[in-house]
Amino acid sequence: MAWAAAVTPPVRRPTDATGPGSVDPTARRRTEATLSRLHLLVTRKLDGLLQGDYVGLLPGPGSEAGDSREYRPGDDVRRMDWPVTARTTMPHVRRTVADRELETWLAVDLSASLDFGTGRWLKRDVVVAAAAALAHLTSRGGNRIGAVIGTGSEPAAGGRGAPAAGPGRFTRLPARSGRREVQALVRAVAGTEIRPGRGDLGALVDLLNRPPRRRGVAVIVSDFLAPPAQWARPLRKLRVRHDVLAIEVLDPRELELPDVGVLPVVDPETGELHEVRTGDPQLRRRYAEAAATQRAEIAAALRAGGAAHLRLRTDRDWLLDMVRFVAAQRHTRIRGTTR
């Protein structure tokens, strides 16, 4: 069942995204109109959500040194102020204030498995929408936002179903501030062509570790279908210096199969074709169990790496899920740092 969670039945192709080399003016206008509506939606529903000193998606205390106070249960032990603790014989932590120029980096996975969806959207549509919301939430007040985008490698000369020629292709967009620059970043993400072949999520995450940067926010947007062994170590390394948010995008058909008879499915990264007899209840049960095990392993790897975990689905209101996530993060932070 290793292939089951990554298979992709034939679905509609995205109509609101064009590749970087596209010259179709109608498709380009359609993309711009879609992004404009998306920006308006994000602005209306998320404006005012992040009030206070911190102006990022993950509400936190920042990294600039401030004064000290007595330790309270739930405080981060990495912020212990040992000199004050030694003088007072009481545990103290160093308060920090938010950086006024926060730097946020996105690792956007646009491998072939994202070109799939049976809900209200394709998974790649949710990825683009999440990137737009993150850009809106973290780019205020002169904050900078950059991105690295990964997609599959081109197939070898044998055709679409041949083994991939390389570990994936990556694009780096420098961190910049300003409304126009942020909109250009979102357009670049939306306009990235999804290529066939296998991607390398571990290499994509590791791009956020090079070159070393000052403490900031790192966000990984992916379906995390790559084995956790591939990306868990780069994730742990990234968490040493940054607050990390992992946004997992999934489709309901990746969790369970419907009873629709014989279903032809194709692995988008290798081109391998399989016929699945979905009328078999035992098969559907094993598929659901394997999918649940896979998602549990992903969640455990993210938790072990110290990343905050947000799950977005193609059949749900992704914006509402993001609002609930931010509210829950704030509540947890406040509850952990107050008496």
Side-chain angles (χ1 to χ4, degrees), residues 15-302:
T15 58
D16 293 328
T18 57
S22 174
V23 295
D24 184 354
T26 302
R28 187 166 299 175
R29 286 195 298 269
R30 188 163 57 244
T31 300
E32 291 295 333
T34 300
L35 292 177
S36 296
R37 291 194 299 270
L38 178 61
H39 176 74
L40 184 61
L41 175 67
V42 170
T43 301
R44 284 180 174 177
K45 291 198 174 183
L46 295 186
D47 245 352
L49 186 63
L50 297 177
Q51 298 294 334
D53 290 336
Y54 191 83
V55 284
L57 180 64
L58 294 176
S63 59
E64 294 294 328
D67 58 352
S68 297
R69 62 165 174 79
E70 188 177 338
Y71 173 85
R72 300 167 184 168
D75 286 341
D76 191 344
V77 295
R78 293 174 299 178
R79 302 187 185 277
M80 292 294 295
D81 192 334
W82 296 112
V84 175
T85 298
R87 288 197 304 269
T88 63
T89 69
M90 294 291 293
H92 279 68
V93 292
R94 171 71 68 177
R95 284 184 175 181
T96 53
V97 295
D99 299 330
R100 299 315 301 172
E101 292 184 358
L102 179 73
E103 187 167 284
T104 300
W105 278 88
L106 309 180
V108 183
D109 177 18
L110 288 177
S111 56
S113 61
L114 272 297
D115 201 9
F116 169 63
T118 62
R120 300 164 64 182
W121 305 281
L122 294 173
K123 288 200 294 183
R124 77 158 289 154
D125 296 336
V126 179
V127 169
V128 173
L134 292 165
H136 174 76
L137 288 171
T138 61
S139 62
R140 304 177 183 181
N143 295 336
R144 296 183 298 276
I145 182 169
V148 289
I149 308 171
T151 186
S153 58
E154 295 289 354
R160 182 181 179 89
R169 295 193 175 187
F170 307 104
T171 302
R172 186 186 295 271
L173 306 175
R176 293 173 178 170
S177 61
R179 180 179 176 183
R180 290 184 178 179
E181 287 73 14
V182 171
Q183 291 178 345
L185 182 145
V186 175
R187 283 197 298 270
V189 173
T192 298
E193 178 184 2
I194 290 185
R195 297 181 176 90
R198 295 199 179 278
D200 191 334
L201 182 58
L204 179 66
V205 174
D206 205 36
L207 287 177
L208 298 184
N209 290 314
R210 304 190 309 268
R213 301 177 179 88
R214 73 173 187 174
R215 183 174 175 84
V217 176
V219 184
I220 306 165
V221 190
S222 173
D223 55 11
F224 291 96
L225 289 182
Q230 183 188 103
W231 47 264
R233 185 173 181 178
L235 176 67
R236 291 194 298 268
K237 182 179 178 182
L238 187 65
R239 182 63 181 87
V240 172
R241 292 182 59 89
H242 306 285
D243 293 326
V244 180
L245 169 63
I247 299 181
E248 179 188 4
V249 179
L250 60 87
D251 186 85
R253 295 288 75 80
E254 293 172 332
L255 301 177
E256 58 183 7
L257 285 176
D259 183 359
V260 292
V262 178
L263 178 67
V265 294
V266 58
D267 188 326
E269 296 187 346
T270 65
E272 295 180 5
L273 178 66
H274 302 269
E275 289 188 351
V276 181
R277 299 183 181 277
T278 62
D280 184 351
Q282 295 293 332
L283 173 65
R284 296 199 305 272
R285 179 183 58 81
R286 293 197 304 271
Y287 182 95
E289 291 175 352
T293 300
Q294 180 189 46
R295 294 299 164 178
E297 291 175 352
I298 292 171
L302 294 175

Side-chain angles (χ1 to χ4, degrees), residues 281-329:
Q282 295 293 332
L283 173 65
R284 296 199 305 272
R285 179 183 58 81
R286 293 197 304 271
Y287 182 95
E289 291 175 352
T293 300
Q294 180 189 46
R295 294 299 164 178
E297 291 175 352
I298 292 171
L302 294 175
R303 185 167 56 251
H309 184 195
L310 169 61
R311 181 173 288 172
L312 301 180
R313 296 173 50 126
T314 61
D315 60 342
R316 290 172 53 108
D317 187 339
W318 61 269
L319 192 55
L320 180 59
D321 287 340
M322 292 193 75
V323 170
R324 288 172 174 169
F325 172 81
V326 174
Q329 289 286 310

